[in-house]
Amino acid sequence: MDTSKAGSERYNSNTDPSIPIDRSSLLHGEASELSHPPTKAPVISSEAQSPHQPSHNGNTNHDVPPSESRVVPLKKTEVWAWYFQNATYCAYGWVSAVMMVPLLIQDVAASGGVQASDHSIPCDTSVPDYKCVKHVFGDHYLDPGTISLYISSLSAIVSFFVSLSIAAIADHGGYRKSLLVVFAFLGCLASVAFFLVTGPSTFWLTVILSPLGWACYNVSTAFSNAYLPIYVRVHPEVLEASERVEAQKALKGVDEKSNGGSGTGGPLGNVPTTISSTTSEDLKTSVAALRKVEEQVSNDLSAWCAGAANIGSLVIQGTCIGISVGMGNSLMSLKTAIAFTGVWWFIWTLAVLPWLDARPGPPLPKGQNWIAYSWSKNYKTFKSMRQLRQVTKFIFAWFIISDGANTLTSLFYVIAYQDIKFSHSKSIIMTLLVSLMALVGAYVFLYIRQFWKLSTKFMMLLTLGLYMVLSAYFVIPSYFTKEFGLRHEWEVWFAAAFVGLIISTFFGVARVMMAELCPEGDENEWFSLFQLADKGSSWIGPFVTGAIESQTGEFRAGFWFPLALFAAGGALLLTVDMNKGKDEAIAYRDGHRAKHRLLSSIPPIPVTTTGDSKS
């Protein structure tokens, strides 16, 4: 028998990518399971199998033998529960934390302030185009908008430390799911507590409640985003592509054994070396195809998740507009709307909880202090950055870029409210327009990406370029004319629509890039780091732009700062090699597992007591 032909037939019948694998029953509400290796793959010894299969929950399981690893494919009920969960907490972050809480801070600060031109005259906010400042300490007075920016900086710093102190816990057991509930409850309490802010005498409460709400929102975002890479790995299309890769690895191992020795070969006799070289090329092709599938699935899940978040925000914003109009744009209307978003967040988190599978990680080591354990894990994560250079470059780039995006949005809202004198209702309608356009933009850019088969990195650079164009429009015309550059109400509406069109894709593709580059099994740690790069840098922009306004008396000059951040971050982003980053993540994961297996194989050292030695 011609063994070359036999080997070729064996490959064609088992691993040809054109052969469909029936998975129509996987992505349903039923809890079906998939075993590895697949039934269509050749039966081989465990030595030839890949020792790096995911466990049943999509995470690394070091204690289960490769031959017994099982995967529960992603279910429709599970992914839809994740979409709904995003629609709940994002509504608080995008409506209350970004818009209504800063408005409340500015209103309360102005009501206890004095006129900017004469500090002996109390501020009268009922006068059109009023210009007031608030005494902070000594001879220092600040514009209410600047105070709002400074409190935003404080909120980012608090979020940074809270996230670092809890992030690593969510990678263990079912803590990710339970902590989502805990922080939803705390966020609800913080939002309802704004009712205690009754006037200038209780202004200090906003300095506590705003950072607390931001911290709860940011921690929830990190934990929720960490589901994305897990869901990608257990998605039926990815599992199908992974099976083909594993089959190719198995065939490569068999062919290498067949070609070993002095010519008599292995069990298949003398197999020409061309089979091994062919199998190696097929393996490379299958791995490249797997990465394409993973990228496609990641972007699709992220886009649908962003769409759900935008729909949730539209519902919340419509309700808040009704509250604001019905209560006459009063301070109480702001507090009521903020409380509503917090209650909505908590109730709907509880509602979808039964369908949001925990997909638990390894158990938390016994006797560990949560905070101390998290910081020790964070230290190890920072140390591992030397091995994961591409994801490290991306996180630093995101640290710079996201601060630019967050600063641009914060400054834009402050100018609309302080300089162009948007009312509460108009301000909320503006955020509704942003969410509506974000919903449209998410699917427009999804279609563009799919039609032209654009990479995730290209989409990131594309939306970043659009942000730079908007920043340049805000700041450059002011040096030539007073007719353009965010001077009129129509410009606010146009800019809100423009920001909305790109914002979902901008943040969505960043999340996908992080999901593709982060090591398997440490999702919460890396996504917390990703979230910290996003919100942890957010204190810099508001602080700098607030200082610029204090010195120049003009908010628009502050747009130079996000423009510079976009340019610097974009230059660093260009150096990120996605394929190399994925290889680094795999090598890091494999090295971590090998170290764990080595430590587990060391027998315990017997300890003899003094009494035993005497006997």
Side-chain angles (χ1 to χ4, degrees), residues 100-282:
M100 291 191 295
V101 171
L103 291 183
L104 178 68
I105 291 171
Q106 293 173 61
D107 279 359
V108 177
S111 66
V114 294
Q115 288 188 11
S117 57
D118 188 345
H119 294 172
S120 64
I121 302 175
C123 181
D124 185 0
T125 57
S126 63
V127 176
D129 298 327
Y130 69 87
K131 184 67 175 178
C132 298
V133 292
K134 181 175 176 59
H135 177 258
V136 285
F137 60 88
D139 295 329
H140 296 279
Y141 292 81
L142 291 177
D143 184 279
T146 303
I147 293 174
S148 173
L149 291 173
Y150 284 154
I151 293 179
S152 295
S153 295
L154 176 63
S155 300
I157 293 171
V158 172
S159 297
F160 178 87
F161 285 101
V162 171
S163 297
L164 281 180
S165 299
I166 199 70
I169 302 300
D171 279 324
H172 297 277
Y175 285 116
R176 183 189 301 110
K177 181 177 177 179
S178 56
L179 287 173
L180 281 173
V181 180
V182 170
F183 281 96
F185 177 68
L186 292 176
C188 177
L189 284 182
S191 62
V192 172
F194 274 101
F195 279 120
L196 300 176
V197 182
T198 56
S201 62
T202 53
F203 177 76
W204 59 272
L205 279 172
T206 63
V207 183
I208 297 174
L209 297 176
S210 178
L212 178 59
W214 258 116
C216 294
Y217 165 68
N218 286 329
V219 171
S220 295
T221 301
F223 291 167
S224 182
N225 284 345
Y227 275 101
L228 178 60
I230 296 173
Y231 284 174
V232 169
R233 284 196 297 272
V234 296
H235 192 281
E237 293 180 17
V238 175
L239 290 176
E240 179 180 340
S242 297
E243 286 183 357
R244 290 176 177 143
V245 170
E246 293 306 317
Q248 293 284 3
K249 287 181 180 179
L251 289 174
K252 186 173 184 293
V254 171
D255 287 337
E256 286 175 349
K257 285 187 177 182
S258 301
N259 288 322
S262 58
T264 58
L268 298 181
N270 288 321
V271 181
T273 57
T274 53
I275 294 181
S276 291
S277 61
T278 302
T279 306
S280 297
E281 289 301 317
D282 291 335

Side-chain angles (χ1 to χ4, degrees), residues 17-87:
S18 66
I19 299 177
I21 299 178
D22 183 16
R23 294 198 169 271
S24 60
S25 62
L26 290 183
L27 197 56
H28 289 282
E30 310 296 333
S32 56
E33 295 184 351
L34 172 71
S35 300
H36 284 278
T39 54
K40 288 195 177 186
V43 179
I44 55 177
S45 65
S46 59
E47 289 83 357
Q49 294 178 3
S50 169
H52 309 308
Q53 298 290 350
S55 66
H56 69 282
N57 59 0
N59 287 327
T60 304
N61 188 339
H62 304 291
D63 302 322
V64 179
S67 59
E68 299 177 9
S69 297
R70 299 179 68 82
V71 173
V72 177
L74 186 63
K75 297 171 289 186
K76 279 187 176 180
T77 53
E78 183 179 10
V79 73
W80 277 101
W82 182 56
Y83 292 158
F84 273 104
Q85 189 269 331
N86 271 264

Side-chain angles (χ1 to χ4, degrees), residues 493-548:
W493 295 117
F494 173 80
F498 188 93
V499 168
L501 193 65
I502 60 179
I503 193 169
S504 278
T505 301
F506 177 75
F507 285 96
V509 295
R511 175 171 55 184
V512 171
M513 286 185 73
M514 188 67 225
E516 292 178 4
L517 293 172
C518 75
E520 179 184 340
D522 297 320
E523 291 84 4
N524 282 287
E525 289 178 60
W526 284 93
F527 264 98
S528 290
L529 202 59
F530 169 76
Q531 192 67 17
L532 291 175
D534 179 3
K535 304 305 179 187
S537 65
S538 298
W539 67 272
I540 302 174
F543 183 84
V544 172
T545 53
I548 290 173

